[in-house]
Amino acid sequence: MTVKSLLPLIAATFVCGGSVLVEARQPKHPVAVVKPKVSQPVQPKWKLFTAPDGRFTILMPGNPSRNTESQKTYMGEITLEIFAAQPPKQEVAYIVAYNDFPYSYGQMADPQAVLNNARDMALKTTKSNLISQRNIRSYNNHPGKEIEYINSGGKITKSRMYVAEGRLYQVMAITTKKQQKTLAKTINGYLNSFHVVLKK
């Protein structure tokens, strides 16, 4: 696999890296007697998102934005589909990306080799260090891999990748060390909600 065939990972870092995050602090000695109203972070409404082609479902915080790119690779032209949601006032991005392999490659490729290549490319393109990894399976038994890694800027990505019916899915949550502690349950719930829908 080439760098171009794994652009969802690169795009994912841009989603997080492009946002400006400001932390508000209360003054130590308030001068006003009336306490100012502090705006609480808006809690996004999580809802079930179904892919336009009906091939996967996942819980997302609101409607994700969609980005489609075509890349030329040694296997031929590959279309990348990226769905991303970033709740307001939270240092986190939720991303689902996938690409279909040409039929002949999808039939021949070893799923574990595809997953290992995707892992290696994720670490290389984001210049990250691997924290943990484990082999997993989707609820309908497709092979997968869960990896967690951190880049030099301190951004932590938890990703689950699956190979299913000639397609590589990447389900990611990218956040900061600080937010990861408070969002750990939410991120796991998000990752657990992903389901591959089998072709009829």
Side-chain angles (χ1 to χ4, degrees):
M1 295 179 73
T2 65
V3 174
K4 288 182 179 180
S5 71
L6 283 167
L7 265 183
L9 294 163
I10 300 169
T13 61
F14 290 153
V15 171
C16 240
S19 60
V20 179
L21 303 159
V22 180
E23 186 178 324
R25 287 197 173 94
Q26 285 294 321
K28 288 181 180 176
H29 304 288
V31 283
V33 178
V34 180
K35 288 184 180 178
K37 289 182 180 177
V38 179
S39 62
Q40 295 296 321
V42 178
Q43 291 303 318
K45 287 187 177 180
W46 288 77
K47 52 188 175 182
L48 191 68
F49 172 75
T50 302
D53 66 358
R55 297 269 303 273
F56 74 84
T57 62
I58 191 166
L59 286 172
M60 278 284 208
N63 291 320
S65 60
R66 181 182 183 181
N67 188 20
T68 304
E69 295 179 33
S70 291
Q71 296 294 332
K72 289 181 181 177
T73 74
Y74 68 93
M75 296 176 287
E77 194 163 310
I78 285 178
T79 300
L80 310 172
E81 292 286 352
I82 305 163
F83 301 89
Q86 190 166 14
K89 299 183 182 180
Q90 287 188 21
E91 298 173 328
V92 63
Y94 299 98
I95 298 149
V96 179
Y98 70 79
N99 61 273
D100 289 312
F101 297 115
Y103 180 78
S104 57
Y105 180 84
Q107 293 297 307
M108 295 185 324
D110 171 32
Q112 282 304 324
V114 172
L115 293 167
N116 288 338
N117 284 340
R119 174 203 59 208
D120 295 344
M121 198 58 65
L123 297 174
K124 184 178 178 182
T125 57
T126 60
K127 297 179 180 176
S128 297
N129 292 318
L130 187 67
I131 298 170
S132 66
Q133 66 174 330
R134 65 187 178 106
N135 290 330
I136 56 175
R137 288 203 165 263
S138 68
Y139 79 102
N140 45 18
N141 215 30
H142 291 296
K145 187 178 287 291
E146 179 186 277
I147 60 173
E148 194 169 5
Y149 52 93
I150 184 168
N151 70 11
S152 58
K155 291 278 195 308
I156 297 173
T157 301
K158 192 166 187 178
S159 171
R160 289 183 185 172
M161 302 175 287
Y162 301 95
V163 175
E165 299 180 321
R167 179 177 282 186
L168 172 66
Y169 292 97
Q170 299 174 72
V171 188
M172 296 171 272
I174 305 172
T175 187
T176 60
K177 281 183 183 178
K178 183 181 175 182
Q179 284 271 283
Q180 189 204 29
K181 291 172 185 174
T182 57
L183 291 173
K185 285 184 180 178
T186 302
I187 288 171
N188 280 332
Y190 160 74
L191 294 172
N192 289 337
S193 74
F194 178 80
H195 291 301
V196 176
V197 179
L198 300 179
K199 283 192 273 189
K200 293 179 180 178

